Amino acid sequence: MTNDPTLAEPQPRWRGALDGLHDGHLYGWAFDSQRPDARVVLELCLDGEPFGSAVADVARSDLAGRLPGAADTCHGFVADLRAFELGPEGILSARVANTDAALAGAIARTQPKAPPRAAASRVFGDGGLRLHGWALDPASPKRQLTVHAYVGHDRVASATASLEHAALRSHEVGAHGFTLDLPLALADGRPHQVRVVDAEGQPLGGSPLQVCCLADGMRALLPDLPGTAADLVATYERVLPRSLGLEQFRTWAAQFDPTPATADDGPGVALVVVGADGPLLDATRAGVAAQTHRQVALFEARRDRKRVEPFAALLARALESGCEFVACLRAGDVLVPQALACALEGFALPGAELVYTDSERGGKPWFKPAWNPDYALASDYPLDLLLIRADAVRALLAGALPPAGPAALAWRMLARAWPRAEDAIVHVPHVLCRCEAPLDVAELAQRHAAAQAALAEVEPGAVLEAAPPIPGLPFAPRRARRPLSPAERQLGVTLMIPTRDHAGLLRRCIDTIARHTADWPRLEIIVIDNGSAEPETLAYFGELAQQGVKVLAMPGPFNFATLNNAAVEAASGEIVGLVNNDIEALHDGWLDELVGQLLRPGVGAVGAKLLWPNGVVQHGGVLLGQGGLAGHFGNRLADADPGDHGRNQLAQQVSGVTAACLLLRKRDYLAVGGMDERAFPVAFNDVDLCLKLRAAGLAITWTPYARLLHAESASRGKEDTPQKRARAGREMDQLRRRWGTALLRDPAYHPSLNLDVLSQAFGGLALPPRDRSPRTAALARPNEEYPE
């Protein structure tokens, strides 16, 4: 042994190895010790002959101990061999491109090694408190593993790998995804190394990770930045939003819901409380007594041996007190100390007549949308802590029968304000009331009757029905349905289906539509042919022509907006429907449901519940702001899952729906200029169309009572070429420029909830929360206060 450095063994320039072969994927890593920042290009060989290439640029934190200290760990690779026609045998190897330097190891295709760690598990994060990944046991694919996260020797989070994960969807191995929610205490602005292991203590691929974030966001850390720098920080937080697990709601609320100082002056509020005396009523009294807004009076029913004071008399007594605002509580409703002070801020908006807030039951917050009449009819969501101007109640009662109970009062006031809802009905997006007592059967019946009466007043042709029970909900779900009259069933409906070849997809689409709409008398189908060339497709077009289906020839580059604009011009129906060729109708009545919802007052477009072939929800409406753009609700839910407070099973208004199945009136389509062919030739043209309808004052409705199958992108493929990615990037920029502010303030969503793309909607708490000022259902004006 010698210490003379001139006699030391020379180190090879290239390092790396093949780790394994699993499920058609070849795993390994490669590193250039002379250029640690470079990414090594590899030739993949079968029996020594190159057949493909790969770039070693995948993050592999397990390489940290094997590479020089200053090097990063992005030197792994995963090659999908299924894209090559290799045959079943041969020896796989890899070498650095244009050299003779081979990676260590060779793999016989007939005797593959055990799956490498990178193939069986993965964990990744963005530096925030939520880690995502998957973990499976290749020897027992149905087994669901448990994973743990450690900081030092402290276990800080655990989860069962049982969620759907997009990375595993094409492998058909089942649900093995997970989300690890780290504690809020780690969001202290300092770096923390997090080690993630399975139940046997084996580290997952990608572990360890580093977490470094601040709960209040970067803007709190850098509050005095000048304009351009502040805009850059805002853009960073918009593109990379952070979130926190919902189970940490109380800790989160304690940090972000400061209690205002006590105010002895201000408007008088009368709180009418119903329910029997006892511990629940004591809790309500205590909550009222703790209010920081001191101008409040509690009115309880007077009782004697024979009778309890009727609600009408109790309400009259409250109004006679000279209060400016009135609200009803149930025994067991506990207001947080700042509840009234915070809720009253809603009346500062011009035209505000009613203000409702968020609530909590059993420790679970109910983050509610801005005024959303369909969801309100289905759930009574505005009824928890609904404040009303006392003068409006006095006007309602003048010459009319008094309401029989709190539900009747609330729904009569909502019906009265409904026509002016974009100004009159205000949501204060804070959880201000804990509802400790469940609704009893009598109360559920009273609420149903009150909501039915309100709907009859606003929309006489509609009916409110009990929906199928949904386990775990604090309300009895309902369905607002509008039966079609004989005259309405004579309306012409034109369904427009763009296609290029893929005759099998198109045939299934049209066959299922025809099977489930046989009783629709004026249904027209237009197939928009974007340059089909396959003989089978051309022959099918001939069949379609004999069946009365129009085939509109539109050759040229694929432009979804142009194709549909041309088809709308050619459509004979008063109602037009945009339908993808990879759609399949699943049941009778789906078109009746969509048309019925479309014909309701003020509705501009309707979308359906779309399912992937594996039964997972592909489309539950469009959520604005996800990842700084827009995404779909419900992508981790199965068809039968309830979703947050039943939203996967209940009709509601949303800000957009996908053009894979979208119905609207032809006149509305033309009035807003149709789809924008230049700005959005392929993607986001449906979001832009829906937002134009919203800006014109029309609502967008999503209904789960029309269900269709959608094999998304089965015909057009994925955004997997440089040209497609460049076009997609341009469309993203266009959407942000046109609708930037609206993307940040979706009235159908909540500013306290997450927008990160790796978590489903309603899957976490926003960190920090976005603007929680009082709001209405009006769409934010485009690009108001939105930096480029």
Side-chain angles (χ1 to χ4, degrees):
M1 184 174 181
T2 176
N3 294 324
D4 185 348
T6 63
L7 300 178
E9 192 73 21
Q11 294 294 314
R13 174 180 178 180
W14 311 103
R15 299 169 59 187
L18 291 184
D19 289 333
L21 176 66
H22 178 66
D23 197 23
H25 292 78
L26 183 65
Y27 295 81
W29 64 280
F31 178 70
D32 183 349
S33 58
Q34 292 185 7
R35 298 179 59 204
D37 295 335
R39 309 302 158 197
V40 179
V41 179
L42 299 165
E43 293 175 349
L44 307 177
C45 303
L46 182 67
D47 295 331
E49 294 296 326
F51 64 87
S53 62
V55 179
D57 60 356
V58 176
R60 284 271 300 268
S61 56
D62 58 298
L63 297 177
R66 289 187 269 180
L67 301 179
D72 62 59
T73 59
C74 297
H75 300 284
F77 69 87
V78 182
D80 186 353
L81 304 186
R82 297 172 299 180
F84 305 97
E85 297 180 359
L86 299 180
E89 300 179 345
I91 303 297
L92 291 167
S93 61
R95 65 192 181 209
V96 179
N98 302 317
T99 75
D100 294 327
L103 302 190
I107 299 174
R109 300 205 69 208
T110 54
Q111 295 179 326
K113 297 180 180 178
R117 190 174 62 162
S121 65
R122 191 73 187 168
V123 59
F124 46 88
D126 58 7
L129 297 183
R130 307 198 94 183
L131 308 181
H132 303 269
W134 73 88
L136 59 90
D137 181 352
S140 180
K142 292 185 178 179
R143 179 186 174 206
Q144 291 184 328
L145 303 179
T146 300
V147 298
H148 305 290
Y150 288 86
V151 174
H153 296 290
D154 297 328
R155 182 187 294 181
V156 294
S158 296
T160 301
S162 58
L163 304 176
E164 291 285 342
H165 195 286
L168 301 179
R169 193 169 290 141
S170 61
H171 298 278
E172 298 181 354
V173 293
H176 295 286
F178 65 82
T179 297
L180 282 166
D181 286 306
L182 306 180
L184 183 58
L186 294 181
D188 56 5
R190 296 184 297 174
H192 300 276
Q193 191 175 69
V194 182
R195 185 166 50 91
V196 182
V197 301
D198 61 20
E200 284 75 39
Q202 295 299 314
L204 270 60
S207 173
L209 307 94
Q210 190 172 81
V211 167
C212 184
C213 65
L214 198 64
D216 291 323
M218 189 183 294
R219 277 176 287 186
L221 188 64
L222 305 167
D224 300 323
L225 287 175
T228 302
D231 290 347
L232 286 173
V233 170
T235 300
Y236 170 81
E237 294 193 327
R238 191 169 59 246
V239 174
L240 192 64
R242 297 277 169 65
S243 65
L244 185 72
L246 282 168
E247 68 278 4
Q248 300 186 61
F249 165 68
R250 289 285 173 82
T251 306
W252 176 91
Q255 177 151 347
F256 294 110
D257 289 338
T259 302
T262 298
D264 291 326
D265 55 2
V269 179
L271 296 177
V272 177
V273 61
V274 297
D277 204 354
L280 287 174
L281 188 53
D282 290 343
T284 299
R285 291 170 180 144
V288 173
Q291 290 302 293
T292 58
H293 179 85
R294 306 301 298 172
Q295 298 299 311
V296 56
L298 188 64
F299 292 85
E300 303 176 19
R302 293 166 176 160
R303 293 174 171 82
D304 58 30
R305 293 181 179 179
K306 297 182 178 179
R307 64 190 293 269
V308 177
E309 183 181 22
F311 175 77
L314 179 58
L315 177 62
R317 200 152 50 82
L319 293 172
E320 288 167 1
S321 70
C323 62
E324 294 181 54
F325 302 99
V326 63
C328 296
L329 299 175
R330 301 169 60 248
D333 288 355
V334 181
L335 303 183
V336 301
Q338 71 273 25
L340 294 180
C342 189
L344 288 171
E345 293 177 3
F347 289 102
L349 295 188
E353 298 177 19
L354 295 92
V355 170
Y356 66 91
T357 71
D358 302 325
S359 56
E360 175 189 343
R361 278 183 170 83
K364 183 176 182 180
W366 192 355
F367 293 114
K368 301 170 182 177
W371 172 241
N372 194 319
D374 293 343
Y375 186 55
L377 290 167
S379 69
D380 296 314
Y381 80 84
L383 268 61
D384 301 329
L385 189 56
L386 175 72
L387 276 78
I388 312 169
R389 288 191 183 277
D391 285 345
V393 179
R394 296 184 183 104
L396 174 76
L397 299 181
L401 290 174
L409 172 64
W411 273 111
R412 284 175 67 175
M413 294 306 304
L414 287 168
R416 184 186 177 97
W418 199 320
R420 307 178 301 282
E422 286 208 349
D423 295 322
I425 303 178
V426 174
H427 175 216
V428 171
H430 288 266
V431 178
L432 301 178
C433 180
R434 293 202 308 271
C435 303
E436 304 289 354
L439 296 164
D440 60 32
V441 174
E443 287 176 300
L444 292 173
Q446 291 164 6
R447 288 190 169 200
H448 188 126
Q452 173 68 73
L455 180 61
E457 180 178 340
V458 176
E459 192 179 342
V463 295
L464 196 62
E465 303 172 343
I470 302 173
L473 293 187
F475 55 86
R478 311 186 201 103
R479 173 187 180 183
R481 195 166 60 84
R482 186 184 187 283
L484 297 173
S485 69
E488 289 168 340
R489 295 201 91 261
Q490 294 299 318
L491 287 172
V493 176
T494 299
L495 301 181
M496 307 169 301
I497 310 172
T499 195
R500 178 186 291 172
D501 293 318
H502 295 281
L505 278 179
L506 182 63
R507 185 184 293 276
R508 282 199 298 275
C509 175
I510 292 179
D511 285 353
T512 57
I513 287 174
R515 185 183 312 141
H516 296 296
T517 55
D519 59 345
W520 196 274
R522 290 186 57 208
L523 179 65
E524 178 186 50
I525 296 178
I526 298 178
V527 172
I528 314 163
D529 176 26
N530 186 218
S532 297
E534 295 175 355
E536 182 185 0
T537 305
L538 300 179
Y540 182 50
F541 287 165
E543 293 180 33
L544 291 176
Q546 293 180 354
Q547 298 169 16
V549 174
K550 293 182 181 177
V551 179
L552 183 63
M554 291 283 292
F558 178 74
N559 186 316
F560 187 77
T562 298
L563 300 179
N564 281 295
N565 286 345
V568 170
E569 292 287 351
S572 65
E574 297 91 343
I575 296 171
V576 293
L578 285 65
V579 179
N580 282 10
N581 66 346
D582 49 7
I583 284 285
E584 296 178 35
L586 293 176
H587 59 91
D588 291 349
W590 69 274
L591 187 58
D592 299 66
E593 168 67 12
L594 292 178
V595 173
Q597 292 289 349
L598 180 63
L599 296 183
R600 296 179 65 189
V603 176
V606 180
K609 186 177 193 177
L610 304 182
L611 304 171
W612 274 303
N614 65 357
V616 174
V617 176
Q618 188 269 335
H619 172 259
V622 169
L623 161 65
L624 300 181
Q626 193 172 50
L629 291 164
H632 287 185
F633 282 104
N635 278 170
R636 280 193 188 175
L637 299 174
D639 181 19
D641 288 345
D644 182 80
H645 288 85
R647 295 189 208 206
N648 191 37
Q649 305 297 337
L650 302 174
Q652 60 207 270
Q653 292 186 355
V654 292
S655 291
V657 290
T658 176
C661 182
L662 186 162
L663 260 67
L664 72 169
R665 295 173 183 81
K666 178 176 178 177
R667 68 166 188 265
D668 291 336
Y669 187 98
L670 297 175
V672 299
M675 287 186 163
D676 190 326
E677 304 172 4
R678 296 188 60 187
F680 307 106
V682 177
F684 300 119
N685 35 49
D686 47 5
V687 177
D688 179 65
L689 174 65
C690 289
L691 290 175
K692 288 191 290 188
L693 291 168
R694 289 280 290 115
L698 298 171
I700 313 297
T701 294
W702 174 82
T703 173
Y705 304 110
R707 296 162 55 253
L708 301 98
L709 202 69
H710 184 205
E712 184 185 20
S713 298
S715 61
R716 194 172 55 80
K718 301 177 180 178
E719 307 284 13
D720 55 359
T721 68
Q723 294 89 343
K724 287 182 177 180
R725 285 195 288 270
R727 187 262 310 145
R730 181 178 180 278
E731 290 169 328
M732 293 177 192
D733 292 341
Q734 295 281 357
L735 189 71
R736 291 190 180 106
R737 289 194 187 98
R738 183 170 296 179
W739 298 106
T741 301
L743 298 182
L744 298 178
R745 301 176 185 173
D746 189 339
Y749 201 49
H750 198 287
S752 295
L753 289 169
N754 63 301
L755 285 175
D756 51 314
V757 294
L758 293 176
S759 303
Q760 63 174 320
F762 299 100
L765 299 159
L767 191 68
R770 298 178 296 282
D771 180 10
R772 293 190 290 170
S773 302
R775 61 180 186 162
T776 68
L779 190 70
R781 287 185 296 176
N783 287 342
E784 177 188 9
E785 301 174 356
Y786 186 90
E788 290 287 337

